[in-house]
Amino acid sequence: MLRVLVTKDIRRWWSDRQAVVVTLLLPLMLTAVLGISFGGFGGGAPEIEAIPLALVGDPPSLLRDPLDRALTESGLFAPVWCDSAEADRLVRTGEARAAVVLPADLQDLLSSERVAIGVWKDPGSVLQADIVEQILRRMLLRVQGGEAVYLAAWPADGFPAAGEPDPFGDLLEGDSLAAIWRRLRDRAPEVAAARAKLEAILDHQAALHDAFATSAVALTVVDRTGQEAKGVGPSTNMFDYILPGMGVFFLMFAAAAAAGDLHRERAGGTLRRLLVAPLGSTDLLVGKWLFAMLNGLLQLAVLFAAGKLLFRMNLGTDLLALPLAAVATSAMLASLFLPLALLTANEKQMGTISTGVTLFMALVGGNFINVDQMPPVLQAAGRFTPNYWANRTFNDIVVHGRGVGEILPRVAVLFGIAAVLLAVAVAIYRRRGGKAGLL
Amino acid sequence: MIRVRNLVKSFGDVRAVDDLSFAVGPGEIFGLLGPNGAGKTTTISVLATLLPADAGAAEVCGHDVAADPGAVRRRIGVVPQELALYEELSAEQNLATFGRLYGLEGARLKARCAELLELADLTEHARRPVKGFSGGMKRRLNIMLGLVHAPDILFLDEPTVGIDAQARTRILDLIRGMNARGLTVLYTTHYLEEAEHLCDRIGVIDHGRLAALGDKEELIQQIGEHDVVRVQLPPAAVAPAAAAAAAWPDVSSADLRRGKLEIHCRDGAALLPRLQAELAAAGLGLDQLEVIRPNLESLYLKITGRALRE
Ligand SMILES: Nc1ncnc2c1ncn2[C@@H]1O[C@H](COP(=O)(O)OP(=O)(O)OP(=O)(O)O)[C@@H](O)[C@H]1O
Ligand SMILES: [Mg+2]
């Protein structure tokens, strides 16, 4: 019986392809817009906090002071000078986004063949660590550029001055291609001269190239993983932070629509038909729940699959974690609006209330701001919204790469909410059915 | 098949069904005729176990609707007043969905759907979504959906609302055909001609009360053999004329209805000479006059005091 009811609802849902496409596309589009405006640096971020940066090394104040001043004045960095053990700790705990390891002694810069400046990155904040790396690279490029200029300055006879021999000019002398071809065919002396010149230039280029490749100063970049994360650091993909929240947000609307279908069936008269059919006492309600749940699951599946393809999202390290979270979330959202549907008089009333509730819960529960970045007040208040738990669970998987074992408590909360709300709905349904009928 | 005794059902202050009693025998087409808000749908809802009654008792196929709703549901089919169809699904999918809910499956389900589609003349449109159907097609499908499980009794709640005369005739023929095969029908309508032509017996219901009950002849008996003479008069003259006419012999009542003088009497034709003479004496001309022989319409008007299609 349930199967028949659910099949019917899925068919009805699917028949409105346009609505289906919109339901599935909207969260993706919003995710794209938000992801690009936040991920695109300087595009939307109103204020950039100074990036905490650990500096390791004990260069003479001659170098240290200007470096310190330059970093601070740039407004981008808050430099902390420390030893290498402390820098390691700071990066791993996330207190510093990156550490720059200068050569232990400035003497090295002068005496050794190669000098390495190290950058240790906190992969959890790659965006900021990347800034450090890019800036250092630019600085080094300038040093290397100095070397290159020196090297390039050496045989500077690529373009001969007036009166000097010009092998290429001699080779190309004449007004027809045929003349040039003849010179080449007859191996005229101009050809040998041009060839010698070409070789000289190529040697020069190779020397330049070698100079760059083995620059006296090199940058080595090392990822230092945060302490808590086991193996995988927090995600670096902006979309990982945004898409699950958007998905859950839109799923709330879908769930409200699915529950509100009870009103539609009543108004259309089909509820009358279903109620006289020999169904189990709660089949109708459980059928709606099941449909909402499958519908939600499908939407989440499509959303995450699209997220993977379009935004190269991280779907977690544990194959089971995401499906489990999706099932728990769908179950919870399927229950969420059933009591409301049974307590409201018509679809319009239900729609007004459920939209208000959804927007409020989305705001408090972390659908618009990633749960990690919510201010403490919201973090505390969010716990009382069901969607918060869904957002947290997805965040754990997608952003922090946690596995089934670690998300289990939150999944249990989701299933708990699902069960309680469904039980409430069944109780209301039974009571109404006994007293006044469901019509 | 159906026995209703002193049924009462109220919604707050509104007594939708008020002390209603009637019975329907097997193979009968029983019409519940009444204007909007008379309580027809409420009565059907109680009989179909969808609403609990406040007082009284109702039995369907020998089962009490309150005590054994499950047994009742298995024997009845319900055709709601609304077009209770899934517009997004095809005609066939609509039928199959409800067929499955009644436990039909596989070849039996297929055969039943095909049979009903054929009966409703929808075979060619079986796979089209219902939302593209005409009003008549939807109405026919609406009826078929009540029949998938081959019930013994069919409750038809105003099944011809909002369709043209041709489509209506088709539906009435359809119902007659099914009745000929043994289906008992409880038919509600506010179209008098439908009740008159289709139903074996009619209960006229208004304000939840049964105002008259019987076959066509019996109902006409119930208003006496009264003719109605309707005269159009200048407004000022109507009231005195009504007062005078009421005193005439053989006149049972004379009053003002919708701006006309309406005289109920034993023999309208015999009354005319006197009426004309009196009017002439009063210096009034006859604008318009009609004599209505007793029929259900006059009965209906008398009972409900309302025009037919309001
Ligand atoms: N669920 C309800 N709640 C409150 N009042 C109701 C309800 N259902 C019906 N009524 C009232 O009961 C009375 C009878 O309604 P009912 O629907 O049975 O009439 P009906 O004869 O079917 O009329 P119609 O021809 O318009 O379908 C009406 O006054 C109506 O307003
Ligand atoms: Mg009705």
Side-chain angles (χ1 to χ4, degrees):
Chain A
M1 288 304 109
L2 280 178
R3 210 195 64 219
V4 180
L5 291 173
V6 172
T7 313
K8 162 209 69 160
D9 282 340
I10 289 177
R11 278 223 179 96
R12 289 170 60 213
W13 175 76
W14 182 239
S15 75
D16 194 354
R17 304 289 151 80
Q18 223 174 329
V20 171
V21 169
V22 170
T23 330
L24 295 176
L25 275 188
L26 260 183
L28 284 174
M29 275 158 47
L30 250 147
T31 303
V33 169
L34 286 176
I36 288 160
S37 55
F38 280 112
F41 194 73
E47 196 181 313
I48 305 148
E49 280 180 41
I51 301 167
L53 183 68
L55 290 168
V56 182
D58 191 19
S61 57
L62 177 75
L63 183 63
R64 176 173 168 155
D65 289 347
L67 188 59
D68 196 66
R69 205 174 324 116
L71 286 172
T72 313
E73 276 172 3
S74 75
L76 270 177
F77 301 103
V80 180
W81 292 91
C82 57
D83 63 22
S84 104
E86 172 68 0
D88 187 56
R89 191 190 68 79
L90 289 176
V91 171
R92 281 180 198 279
T93 58
E95 284 168 67
R97 298 287 179 245
V100 176
V101 185
L102 300 172
D105 191 338
L106 190 62
Q107 283 296 313
D108 288 356
L109 269 175
L110 308 171
S111 59
S112 71
E113 282 267 292
R114 278 175 57 81
V115 174
I117 293 178
V119 178
W120 298 346
K121 296 203 293 189
D122 168 10
S125 61
V126 159
L127 194 64
Q128 295 183 332
D130 274 346
I131 296 170
V132 178
E133 187 185 330
Q134 290 310 322
I135 287 172
L136 274 170
R137 278 203 191 285
R138 255 161 232 224
M139 279 165 56
L140 282 183
L141 216 58
R142 247 179 255 158
V143 174
Q144 291 163 350
E147 293 177 43
V149 167
Y150 168 72
L151 290 165
W154 172 52
D157 54 357
F159 301 95
E164 287 183 7
D166 179 1
F168 290 121
D170 295 346
L171 177 67
L172 302 178
E173 181 80 51
D175 50 9
S176 70
L177 273 177
I180 297 168
W181 184 83
R182 261 197 306 281
R183 257 173 241 141
L184 286 169
R185 186 195 57 188
D186 302 338
R187 293 172 190 272
E190 292 93 338
V191 176
R195 190 187 172 131
K197 175 79 183 176
L198 190 65
E199 270 171 10
I201 289 174
L202 284 174
D203 284 347
H204 182 62
Q205 301 263 317
L208 262 177
H209 178 264
D210 289 350
F212 272 107
T214 59
S215 168
V217 187
L219 194 67
T220 60
V221 180
V222 183
D223 278 355
R224 295 280 152 131
T225 305
Q227 249 163 4
E228 293 108 319
K230 285 157 194 157
V232 187
S235 161
T236 60
N237 185 342
M238 202 42 107
F239 296 103
D240 289 351
Y241 293 83
I242 295 169
L243 186 127
M246 279 299 125
V248 170
F249 176 58
F250 281 92
L251 216 57
M252 286 199 275
F253 284 105
D261 197 40
L262 274 174
H263 286 302
R264 240 163 292 138
E265 295 229 36
R266 176 185 301 139
T270 47
L271 186 66
R272 204 172 265 274
R273 284 223 145 94
L274 294 173
L275 287 170
V276 291
L279 298 173
S281 62
T282 54
D283 279 2
L284 211 56
L285 194 66
V286 176
K288 282 280 174 262
W289 179 84
L290 212 56
F291 163 70
M293 144 123 189
L294 290 176
N295 187 24
L297 208 53
L298 180 75
Q299 291 194 31
L300 283 177
V302 171
L303 203 57
F304 279 110
K308 175 93 189 160
L309 291 174
L310 298 178
F311 308 133
R312 278 177 280 137
M313 263 183 78
N314 168 36
L315 299 187
T317 44
D318 191 331
L319 269 183
L320 282 176
L322 196 63
L324 184 66
V327 170
T329 299
S330 305
M332 183 277 285
L333 289 176
S335 301
L336 188 58
F337 292 104
L338 279 181
L340 184 66
L342 291 170
L343 291 173
T344 46
N346 52 49
E347 195 185 359
K348 197 169 162 232
Q349 192 184 38
M350 155 116 195
T352 310
I353 298 178
S354 67
T355 304
V357 168
T358 298
L359 288 175
F360 176 77
M361 290 197 313
L363 208 64
V364 177
N367 289 85
F368 299 141
I369 316 167
N370 181 272
V371 276
D372 282 342
Q373 266 119 50
M374 284 202 299
V377 187
L378 272 191
Q379 292 264 8
R383 277 161 210 284
F384 296 100
T385 65
N387 47 314
Y388 169 87
W389 298 95
N391 295 334
R392 261 257 171 270
T393 311
F394 284 125
N395 198 58
D396 278 355
I397 298 167
V398 169
V399 173
H400 299 287
R402 306 214 165 114
V404 169
E406 291 155 298
I407 61 161
L408 224 42
R410 278 169 186 151
V411 167
V413 171
L414 286 171
F415 277 125
I417 299 172
V420 168
L421 287 173
L422 185 61
V424 168
V426 167
I428 300 172
Y429 184 83
R430 283 233 166 95
R431 215 171 129 227
R432 261 189 74 172
K435 224 175 68 188
L438 288 151
L439 288 174
Chain B
M1 293 294 270
I2 302 174
R3 195 178 307 235
V4 178
R5 256 177 274 126
N6 309 108
L7 200 68
V8 178
K9 175 73 195 177
S10 303
F11 298 104
D13 289 342
V14 182
R15 281 209 150 197
V17 175
D18 191 0
D19 200 24
L20 190 67
S21 301
F22 64 89
V24 180
E28 212 180 349
I29 301 183
F30 183 86
L32 262 187
L33 174 66
N36 292 123
K40 306 180 296 288
T41 301
T42 307
T43 305
I44 285 193
S45 298
V46 172
L47 292 177
T49 77
L50 291 170
L51 282 177
D54 298 337
E59 237 174 52
V60 174
C61 296
H63 304 284
D64 189 281
V65 292
D68 198 355
V72 172
R73 284 177 198 171
R74 272 187 289 280
R75 307 285 297 274
I76 62 168
V78 174
V79 176
Q81 186 171 349
E82 303 88 4
L83 285 165
L85 310 166
Y86 293 116
E87 297 258 319
E88 307 89 347
L89 304 186
S90 70
E92 197 173 39
Q93 285 169 340
N94 267 287
L95 284 166
T97 297
F98 285 101
R100 287 198 186 96
L101 289 180
Y102 282 96
L104 287 177
E105 264 171 43
R108 271 180 65 216
L109 177 69
K110 238 183 168 162
R112 184 66 183 156
C113 291
E115 185 188 347
L116 293 173
L117 286 166
E118 189 62 47
L119 204 57
D121 206 4
L122 290 173
T123 307
E124 280 158 47
H125 311 284
R127 278 150 202 261
R128 271 176 54 196
V130 171
K131 59 173 163 252
F133 281 19
S134 73
M137 290 160 75
K138 285 183 187 174
R139 281 284 162 198
R140 295 204 298 275
L141 181 62
N142 200 35
I143 294 175
M144 292 306 135
L145 283 180
L147 289 168
V148 262
H149 55 298
D152 298 320
I153 301 183
L154 187 66
F155 294 112
L156 285 159
D157 197 357
E158 306 201 25
T160 59
V161 168
I163 53 174
D164 61 37
Q166 204 185 345
R168 188 194 301 187
T169 308
R170 253 175 117 170
I171 283 180
L172 297 186
D173 287 343
L174 192 65
I175 296 166
R176 257 186 228 109
M178 290 177 313
N179 174 251
R181 297 195 225 165
L183 184 74
T184 304
V185 175
L186 177 67
Y187 188 97
T188 82
T189 181
H190 62 263
Y191 293 121
L192 181 77
E193 320 86 273
E194 280 188 6
E196 197 173 342
H197 290 124
L198 181 71
C199 301
D200 301 318
R201 285 194 311 129
I202 300 168
V204 181
I205 180 175
D206 194 26
H207 299 300
R209 292 181 150 271
L210 200 62
L213 176 70
D215 62 25
K216 191 181 163 188
E217 297 308 314
E218 288 168 337
L219 287 175
I220 292 170
Q221 288 286 325
Q222 283 181 28
I223 47 163
E225 291 163 61
H226 281 183
D227 286 357
V228 179
V229 179
R230 249 190 233 149
V231 196
Q232 178 87 57
L233 291 173
V238 175
W248 297 347
D250 290 345
V251 170
S252 57
S253 70
D255 44 23
L256 176 70
R257 285 241 168 114
R258 293 188 297 157
K260 288 181 184 174
L261 174 65
E262 208 171 286
I263 304 171
H264 292 250
C265 59
R266 173 144 300 164
D267 188 347
L271 191 79
L272 289 183
R274 176 160 188 188
L275 182 65
Q276 268 171 323
E278 297 263 348
L279 287 174
L284 294 167
L286 260 180
D287 272 357
Q288 201 193 336
L289 177 135
E290 58 188 316
V291 179
I292 303 159
R293 305 294 303 175
N295 63 8
L296 277 177
E297 181 168 359
S298 49
L299 166 87
Y300 188 81
L301 270 171
K302 195 173 172 189
I303 292 168
T304 65
R306 277 181 256 187
L308 274 175
R309 290 186 207 131
E310 57 181 20

